Amino acid sequence: MKNYSKIGTSEEARTELHDKLGLTGAEISINILPAGGCVPFVHSHKQNEEIYAIVEGEGAVVIDGENIRVKAGDWLRISPEAKRQFFASEKTALKYICIQVKAGSLEGYTMNDGVVSN
Amino acid sequence: MKNYSKIGTSEEARTELHDKLGLTGAEISINILPAGGCVPFVHSHKQNEEIYAIVEGEGAVVIDGENIRVKAGDWLRISPEAKRQFFASEKTALKYICIQVKAGSLEGYTMNDGVVSN
């Protein structure tokens, strides 16, 4: 595999990066819900922790029945087993990044995994 | 552990989310290089694949000696062993997200890991 891969992104409703970038440790999607829209189902995960970054707009996520308001700049971690559903507000579209990783998979990071060359 | 965690982000030079969100499958940092600035060292990783999202501005990343221009909207995957260094352009700050995950750790995802509740 090449030592890197790079793509630009467009304004599609959903862009999935795993295959486009050749990811091996995560799936990442970029999602846009129109104003008043929502993900049309509730879901959880078997193994994967999900991390969400709210990029633009505002809305809410219902997690195990709890309604949590979200806005641009917010980040969330959601445990695999939690049942979740995202909603855009009535006034703004909601653009967010969703990062799926296997819960508990990270070993070292930054100072414990990085190697400085010079 | 609670079924979710949530934070807002500020405009600091570097914000690390692992401890703030209780992440177990990734470390994520939000980074801002000022115009004309750069990460002051070259680095690689032992185990971790890195995924970068360029959020604002433009600049370049040198990967194993190759100079790659980047701008807002670009995403990159970089293999653990590749030597990398990020630079902001002379004219704009460069804001980017860096996601560290263990290379090869993802098993199922989306349709193979998600469970729809209704």
Side-chain angles (χ1 to χ4, degrees):
Chain A
M1 195 190 297
K2 198 165 182 302
N3 59 354
Y4 78 92
S5 54
K6 176 190 159 197
I7 60 166
T9 51
S10 60
E11 290 295 305
E12 294 172 26
R14 182 173 167 92
T15 304
E16 297 177 343
L17 301 185
H18 182 278
D19 293 354
K20 289 182 177 173
L21 283 175
L23 304 181
T24 70
E27 163 63 314
I28 298 174
S29 61
I30 306 158
N31 303 271
I32 305 173
L33 293 174
C38 69
V39 177
F41 54 84
V42 175
H43 86 283
S44 59
H45 278 270
K46 296 174 190 167
Q47 294 196 124
N48 290 350
E49 177 173 84
E50 282 192 327
I51 305 144
Y52 289 87
I54 311 300
V55 177
E56 293 175 10
E58 55 185 44
V61 52
V62 176
I63 302 176
D64 289 338
E66 182 179 352
N67 189 73
I68 299 134
R69 297 185 67 160
V70 296
K71 64 180 190 304
D74 287 344
W75 286 77
L76 298 98
R77 176 197 59 79
I78 305 181
S79 299
E81 65 279 7
K83 294 179 179 177
R84 72 211 69 177
Q85 186 178 18
F86 274 79
F87 298 80
S89 77
E90 293 294 330
K91 293 183 179 173
T92 70
L94 186 71
K95 182 174 181 179
Y96 61 95
I97 297 165
C98 174
I99 302 162
Q100 284 181 60
V101 292
K102 185 179 174 185
S105 63
L106 191 71
E107 297 179 9
Y109 61 94
T110 311
M111 299 304 287
N112 293 325
D113 193 71
V115 179
V116 172
S117 298
N118 63 359
Chain B
M1 198 190 296
K2 199 164 182 299
N3 59 355
Y4 78 92
S5 54
K6 177 189 158 196
I7 59 166
T9 51
S10 59
E11 291 296 304
E12 294 171 28
R14 182 172 168 93
T15 305
E16 298 177 343
L17 301 184
H18 181 278
D19 293 352
K20 290 182 176 174
L21 284 175
L23 303 182
T24 70
E27 164 62 313
I28 299 175
S29 62
I30 305 159
N31 303 271
I32 305 173
L33 293 174
C38 69
V39 176
F41 54 84
V42 175
H43 85 283
S44 59
H45 279 270
K46 297 175 190 167
Q47 294 197 120
N48 289 349
E49 177 173 85
E50 282 192 326
I51 305 144
Y52 289 86
I54 310 300
V55 177
E56 293 175 12
E58 55 185 44
V61 51
V62 176
I63 302 177
D64 288 337
E66 181 180 352
N67 189 70
I68 299 134
R69 295 186 65 159
V70 296
K71 64 180 190 305
D74 287 345
W75 285 78
L76 298 100
R77 175 196 60 77
I78 304 181
S79 299
E81 65 279 8
K83 293 179 181 177
R84 73 212 67 179
Q85 186 179 18
F86 274 78
F87 298 80
S89 77
E90 293 294 330
K91 293 183 179 174
T92 70
L94 186 70
K95 182 175 180 179
Y96 61 94
I97 297 165
C98 175
I99 302 162
Q100 284 182 60
V101 292
K102 186 180 174 186
S105 63
L106 191 71
E107 297 179 8
Y109 62 93
T110 311
M111 299 304 286
N112 293 326
D113 193 70
V115 179
V116 173
S117 299
N118 62 0

